[in-house]
Structure formats: structure tokens, C-alpha cells
Amino acid sequence: MTTFRAARPRGLVTALAAGALLLASGCDDTAKPAQDQAAASPATSTAATPSATPTATPTPTPKPTGEADPALKPFYGQQIAWADCPADPQAEKAKIDISAMQCGKLHVPLDYANPAADALDIALIRLPAAKPDQRVGSLMVNPGGPGESGVDMVKYGAKEFAGALHNRFDVVGFDPRGTGDSSPVVCYDDQQHDAANQLDTPLDPAAHKAERVKQSTAHAAACQAKSGKLLPFVGTRNTARDLDVLRAAVGDKKLNYLGISYGTYLGALYAEEFPKNTGRLVLDGAVDPAQDSLDHGVDQQIGFEKSFERFARDCVENHADECSLGKDPEKAAQKAADFLDGLYDHPMTTKDGRKLGRDLGWTGTISMLYGDEQKSWKYLRAGLGWAMKGDKGDYLLAFADAYNGRDEKGHYSPLEEANGAISCADVARPAPSPERAQAAVAKLKAEAPLLAKDVTVDDYSEPGCAYWPFKTQEKPHTIRAEGAAPILVVGSTGDPATPYASAESLAKGFANATLLTREGEGHGAFGKGNACIDQALEAYLTEGTMPAAGTRCS
């Protein structure tokens, strides 16, 4: 998100080959509980590796008929019982006022092909329009992941909607099925998560493979044991159907929607499933639904490498007084990488007794590349500086904890579990041919030598989600969304998680879409403080005024 999210970015290619997703929200500066954050890097070329040709159309699960289906009428006709949200100590601690917000539940079928069977509840939050007399309707939002909480996006990021969007819309966040408080996928307990995240990937290729098989098998078995009934139904296509039920339940004839990162995939699938119900859709930090996981993973890995290099160069050239990466901008990235790699043999003990090893060190570093150069890079300079001086590894560990969904009490959010489950439910990931695997590794070694230092062809020897108990029939495909209202796609030239080329491809694939470009670092454009972007989004969402084709915001 999607993109591909890994618990330990140094093993990112392995995780990508296994089917993990690395997509996240672009709202990197909102105060919120430990969660996934968002990234930065230039547009990378589309994969030069031999590529599998995506199918022109999807292979969906049985398609419902929406509101016209008599079996779904009880769901479409429901009334949401909005009420005051329960007290939230974390919001209070962050001095966030949630008194104006309302919470509720949406009742949806577990299986849309059999809606009379089991059902589940989707957690909701609503920030009512500040100017009801000017209200347009509801604006549904999704922050990415997959697995991030839309409830948290609104609760902890309400300030990002201040102004025209809050004035004119009820801003509605929801936790997609399998995430947050919406029947979350459960596999491991907190202690098991800690043990997995503390484990450094073995350097020996044979030991690496054996450990990967062991961990993947154990995790899949745990997910099947605790959430097996849910796993076949957490895919994004079902979430798109939930979104249509939500649209009807709040009384909107058309869906107005802001999706970031993986949220663009959700929005695109919605437009494919329900084109006549689309209103104004903004898809920011776009995922290319036609690109297979191997090519996307390679492009993303290269994107993070380039972002890491730009961060290190900027550190030396523009912040010498607070930079620990030496004086040579050409060697700065290598110096940081050598330090992080060295944590394998020399982990740092942090104040809570946990170790900062290589994989957690890289996780913390990569996580801060999701943000822009003004805020996140500043924190990363400080975190690396403290660690490299031998004083504290606590800051890098805190960054990694936030990325992995671990709070200060050691409790994990459902983010990681949901991410893997949704990823495996969304797209089939067959093992690449030996030739494609070799080409992918060769490209990574050439263009991402720091992050792909230990990658081998064997990392691609198995199909993605090889040990997962549920096998999806979904395949990568171009989404046309014929008959949908005009869609606004937003891409950032310095986005590593969803490279700019993905936004170009998504916009081109739609029957009716415009591409808006932000020139700058970081994953996603919303919430980055770019006045040009903010004005364009507000004009489109509130008035339906699409920016001129070719608009670029710097």
C-alpha cells in the first residue's frame, strides 16, 4: 500500500517476495498511537526486469449487486447510532479534544456472497461539519497500510482537515474489516511480536532461508488458529463493498473519498465495483493495481534507497552542526549503513532493556523516510546522531516501535497482522521465474546496494504468501472504472513507498482521471503543508473543480 510493508525493512525484499505490503499514510505529523508512518524518494523507473503481463480484468469473488440485492437491503437500510466517543487517555495525553466527535458501528456481512450468514461490525468515527448550512455531505477517509486505522486518522489528525474540508464535510473514518476495532486479525500476542521483531535476519543465506520458513510457517499457523474464519474475507474488494454500505447508511447518494497510499487501491476498487456511486474521489500516494508484487517491490526498495541517500547528503551539506555522517556527502549514506549493519554484532541496550539490533535499527531509519525533509528528517538526524555517538539507541527503537505498531507499554496494534492478512487476500503472488528473480536481484544490487546488500535470488524462490492458509484468485489488473465520476490522482516525485510512476500509471488507467503532482520528498501529499496541493484538494472536494491537467506543486 498497495505497497509493501515489512516489519524489518532490511529484509524488505524478502518480505515483498513473501507478499507483505508496505503502504502507509502520508499524514506523518499527526499525534497518534504507535502506528505505521509514511515515506520519501524520487520517481523511479518502472521495473526493467522481465515482467509478467497483468490481466486486463480482475478475477473477483462473487460480485454483489449492491443496494439492488434484496439480501443486502437490511445492511444498506441501517441507521448508524452515533454517540459520544468513549474517553481516550492517549488523546487526552496529546491534548486532543474529541468532544465534538461521534463514534458508531456499521453492520456488514462477513461474506457478501452469503449475507444471511455471519456478520461483523465496522468501527466508525465522525467529525461533523463545522458549518452545517454549507455541508456537502460526508468525506470518507482511509490512511493506508493496509491495516491502518481510519478512526485514528480522524481522531488524532483532525487538524489536517481544518478549514474548508471540516467546514463542508462530516469527516468519517472507519477501521476496515480485519483492522483496528473492526474484528481485527489476531495471530501473535505482544510477547511473540517482541520476539519476532527483536530477531535479526541471519546473514548466512541457508540460515536465512531456514529462519524465514520457520517464522512464516509459525505465523501462518497462529493466524489460522486464531482468525481462520476471517482470513478469506478481509480483502480490499470486500472493504470496498463495506464502503458502499457506509455511503448509503450515512445518507449519501455519491461517495466522496480521500484515500492515501493503500487507500488509493481501496478507492480504485470502489470505483471499479460501484462506478455509478462515485462522487469526488482523491487518491493520494497512488498504488498501481496493474503492477505485480515483484516489480512493485523492486521499485519501492530502490525508492527507499534513493530517499536514504538524499537524506544522508542533506544531513552533511545542510545540517553539519547536527550531523554524525562525516563531512563527505558522497560517503554519508554508506557511513550510516555501516553503522546500522554493525548493530548485528554490536546491538545497543536501551533504557527498557530491549536491544536495538540491525533490523530494528534499519526499521527505525526507514520509517522516518516516510515523512518530509522538514520534520521527519530532522528527527532522523537526531536519532542516528544519538545512536552513532554511542549514547542512546532509544530514539531509533522508538521510531521502529511506532512503525511496528508498538506503544510505550509494549502493546501492539493489529496493524502488522492486518497488513499481512489483507495483502495475501488481495493479490495472488506466484513465484517468479528464475530469470525474473535473477533480473530483480541484479537491478537491486545495482540501484539499491545498501538496502539490498544481503539479498539473494533464493529470497524469491517461493511464491508470495506461500504458507498462508487462504489462497486468493485476485490478480493485478488495470482499473478503468468506466462510468465513474472524474477521479483526482495525486503523486509526489520524492515518494519511495509508492513511486511517482505508480501515480502516472493509475491515472492513465482510469477512464476519467486527472493527475496532480507534488514536487518534494515524502509519501503522500495530503497533510504535508503544501498550500498549492491543499487548495487544489479543497477546490475539488468542496466544489468539484478539478485542477488543470499537468498541474505541478512545488
Side-chain angles (χ1 to χ4, degrees):
M1 32 190 226
T2 100
T3 326
F4 298 169
R5 171 185 170 73
R8 293 175 290 279
R10 192 48 195 257
L12 183 60
V13 172
T14 302
L16 292 174
L21 279 178
L22 181 58
L23 294 183
S25 164
C27 305
D28 56 279
D29 60 345
T30 57
K32 62 180 181 178
Q35 285 270 341
D36 179 271
Q37 300 268 318
S41 158
T44 56
S45 60
T46 51
T49 58
S51 177
T53 302
T55 56
T57 57
T59 307
T61 53
K63 187 173 183 178
T65 54
E67 288 177 281
D69 186 344
L72 295 176
K73 283 191 177 296
F75 298 100
Y76 274 90
Q78 68 186 287
Q79 298 292 314
I80 299 171
W82 295 106
D84 291 342
C85 295
D88 184 339
Q90 288 182 307
E92 293 177 6
K93 183 178 180 180
K95 297 183 178 180
I96 294 173
D97 182 8
I98 65 171
S99 62
M101 302 179 192
Q102 299 169 320
C103 291
K105 297 286 186 181
L106 182 77
H107 204 54
V108 297
L110 175 65
D111 180 3
Y112 276 89
N114 187 16
D118 295 321
L120 49 83
D121 287 333
I122 302 299
L124 308 173
I125 193 169
R126 177 171 70 174
L127 178 65
K131 296 183 177 181
D133 59 323
Q134 300 179 22
R135 182 178 177 275
V136 175
S138 298
L139 177 65
M140 313 300 182
V141 298
N142 179 278
E148 287 220 53
S149 168
V151 170
D152 284 353
M153 180 182 183
V154 174
K155 183 186 294 185
Y156 298 99
K159 67 178 182 179
E160 302 297 348
F161 301 96
L165 296 183
H166 181 202
N167 289 342
R168 305 288 301 279
F169 287 100
D170 294 343
V171 182
V172 178
F174 62 99
D175 289 350
R177 55 172 59 206
T179 75
D181 288 326
S182 298
S183 299
V185 173
V186 176
C187 307
Y188 281 168
D189 60 26
D190 293 336
Q191 290 71 33
Q192 289 172 308
H193 275 299
D194 266 349
N197 288 329
Q198 285 273 298
L199 182 67
D200 271 345
T201 304
L203 299 180
D204 176 73
H208 179 183
K209 179 178 180 179
E211 186 62 33
R212 182 180 73 238
V213 171
K214 176 185 175 182
Q215 293 291 334
S216 298
T217 303
H219 186 255
C223 294
Q224 174 64 19
K226 296 183 179 181
S227 300
K229 186 176 182 178
L230 181 64
L231 298 181
F233 304 106
V234 296
T236 303
R237 194 171 294 277
N238 278 325
T239 297
R241 294 164 181 167
D242 296 342
L243 191 53
D244 197 54
V245 174
L246 178 58
R247 172 200 58 76
V250 299
D252 288 356
K253 293 183 177 180
K254 303 289 185 180
L255 176 74
N256 298 310
Y257 174 78
L258 169 63
I260 302 172
S261 194
Y262 157 82
T264 67
Y265 182 58
L266 172 58
L269 280 188
Y270 181 90
E272 180 176 65
E273 288 265 324
F274 305 102
K276 300 301 183 181
N277 294 348
T278 55
R280 300 164 188 169
L281 271 60
V282 174
L283 308 183
D284 175 23
V287 174
D288 180 4
Q291 189 176 42
D292 75 3
S293 60
L294 176 61
D295 288 344
H296 175 81
V298 168
D299 284 352
Q300 189 182 61
Q301 185 88 337
I302 293 170
F304 278 115
E305 175 100 5
K306 301 307 179 187
S307 181
F308 182 61
E309 291 174 351
R310 289 196 302 276
F311 157 77
R313 175 178 289 275
D314 176 76
C315 181
V316 171
E317 292 182 340
N318 300 315
H319 306 278
D321 58 331
E322 55 186 57
C323 183
S324 300
L325 303 183
K327 299 181 179 181
D328 187 345
E330 299 297 328
K331 298 179 179 179
Q334 185 66 63
K335 183 178 179 67
D338 288 344
F339 167 75
L340 293 168
D341 285 341
L343 293 173
Y344 184 87
D345 291 319
H346 304 285
M348 302 182 73
T349 301
T350 61
K351 63 182 180 181
D352 67 359
R354 288 185 296 150
K355 299 288 187 179
L356 177 73
R358 182 195 61 176
D359 286 1
L360 282 173
W362 273 106
T363 298
T365 299
I366 293 296
S367 72
M368 299 310 290
L369 298 178
Y370 275 96
D372 61 27
E373 62 271 35
Q374 300 302 319
K375 296 178 181 178
S376 293
W377 286 16
K378 178 180 179 179
Y379 296 133
L380 181 54
R381 286 194 300 272
L384 271 173
W386 278 104
M388 294 179 73
K389 292 174 184 176
D391 296 322
K392 292 182 180 180
D394 298 86
Y395 292 103
L396 286 182
L397 184 59
F399 301 157
D401 284 347
Y403 182 88
N404 289 332
R406 186 186 194 275
D407 68 21
E408 59 188 13
K409 295 181 180 179
H411 176 63
Y412 283 82
S413 76
L415 176 60
E416 283 190 281
E417 311 287 30
N419 185 277
I422 295 170
S423 300
C424 287
D426 270 354
V427 180
R429 295 176 171 86
S433 67
E435 292 77 18
R436 285 198 73 209
Q438 290 169 0
V441 172
K443 184 175 182 180
L444 285 168
K445 294 290 189 182
E447 299 185 46
L450 301 180
L451 289 177
K453 177 182 176 181
D454 302 319
V455 171
T456 68
V457 173
D458 190 54
D459 289 326
Y460 295 98
S461 63
E462 298 170 341
C465 306
Y467 306 97
W468 199 246
F470 168 70
K471 306 301 180 186
T472 184
Q473 297 302 308
E474 295 272 4
K475 296 180 180 179
H477 64 284
T478 297
I479 294 179
R480 292 286 295 160
E482 297 282 357
I487 297 170
L488 178 58
V489 177
V490 187
S492 297
T493 56
D495 191 328
T498 50
Y500 182 70
S502 295
E504 293 179 306
S505 179
L506 179 64
K508 183 178 179 180
F510 282 131
N512 189 356
T514 295
L515 175 62
L516 173 65
T517 301
R518 179 180 74 93
E519 296 178 342
E521 299 291 341
H523 180 41
F526 178 75
K528 288 291 192 293
N530 185 300
C532 171
I533 290 290
D534 294 345
Q535 291 167 9
L537 297 188
E538 290 175 359
Y540 172 63
L541 287 170
T542 61
E543 305 295 339
T545 303
M546 187 70 79
T551 298
R552 301 180 75 88
C553 297
S554 57

